[in-house]
Amino acid sequence: MLSGPAGGIETILWSPSEESENTRPPLAAVVCHPHPLFGGTMHNKVVYQTAKTIHRFGLPVVRFNFRGAGLSEGTHDKGAGEIDDVLAVIDFLAAEYPGVPLLVAGFSFGSWVGLRAGCADARVAELLGLGLPVGDLDSRSFSYLDQCDKPKLLVSGEFDRFGPPKKLLEMVEQFPPPVQENTRVAIVAGGDHFFAGHLPELDRTIREWMLERHPEVAARESHQ
């Protein structure tokens, strides 16, 4: 349990593998879960798969429950307080691995909240958004991404009804050129919002992006 702005935050830290623990990791990651009012927790399959994919490279990965979810204290705050939850977890990970660049990943609601926190925090170098709920931009605005030129991968399923690929691509096309240049969009063929039946493709998409950006992690990869 971490100390958070609304009380304790239930957290799981996967530390580097034994082969990698004696070297400074090139990256450490936070993964944010989907909407808690609709059953979202850090044990969501997409969140778990994302954490597993990143951790396979011997990188530290934190999953946590937003306020009011699981054993985390507090009550749901429609995204406002949840940004502070993300920042508290970032503080923890930055203290555990001083000077290591951070990656913030999020799925659905977690992408809206997590990427917002990550864009504004200088310790965060990269972003990973999964199933961005761009189909409802009035209430879940991603306008903050317009000025966020940090390298990012945005992934949606071909049949994501909450984040239709067409709307995602239209949003990215409106980014200023420097932001567009640092934004990669990947569409998982046949996938829905939850990537049901397509988690292996999601794993491969994230893995390929990680290797492209950090070829040095290939030597750390575990195939177990």
Side-chain angles (χ1 to χ4, degrees), residues 38-50:
F38 299 97
T41 73
M42 65 177 167
H43 303 296
N44 169 271
K45 289 182 180 180
V46 176
V47 172
Y48 181 84
Q49 178 62 68
T50 301

Side-chain angles (χ1 to χ4, degrees), residues 19-97:
E19 301 82 25
S20 304
E21 64 182 3
N22 294 324
T23 60
R24 181 176 181 268
L27 200 67
V30 175
V31 185
C32 307
H33 70 73
H35 208 301
L37 296 188
F38 299 97
T41 73
M42 65 177 167
H43 303 296
N44 169 271
K45 289 182 180 180
V46 176
V47 172
Y48 181 84
Q49 178 62 68
T50 301
K52 183 178 178 182
T53 300
I54 297 170
H55 184 61
R56 190 188 305 142
F57 293 111
L59 304 176
V61 182
V62 167
R63 287 179 290 142
F64 69 98
N65 278 329
F66 285 117
R67 58 187 62 194
L71 298 179
S72 291
E73 297 173 337
T75 57
H76 179 67
D77 194 31
K78 301 180 180 179
E82 283 77 6
I83 293 174
D84 293 332
D85 294 344
V86 179
L87 293 174
V89 177
I90 288 175
D91 286 343
F92 162 73
L93 193 58
E96 288 287 311
Y97 298 94

Side-chain angles (χ1 to χ4, degrees), residues 133-137 162-173:
V134 294
D136 187 15
L137 283 177
F162 299 107
K166 181 181 178 182
K167 285 201 170 185
L168 177 64
L169 291 167
E170 288 174 351
M171 181 184 76
V172 172
E173 286 171 0

Side-chain angles (χ1 to χ4, degrees), residues 104 111 114-122 124-128 142-154 171-172 174-184:
V104 172
S111 71
L115 270 59
R116 190 182 191 100
C119 281
D121 195 303
V124 176
E126 301 174 14
L127 303 164
L128 171 59
F142 285 89
S143 59
Y144 62 84
L145 290 177
D146 293 349
Q147 304 303 318
C148 184
D149 62 358
K150 296 180 180 183
K152 63 185 74 67
L153 173 65
L154 308 179
M171 181 184 76
V172 172
Q174 299 301 313
F175 290 165
V179 179
Q180 274 197 49
E181 290 169 9
N182 282 317
T183 302
R184 174 80 57 84

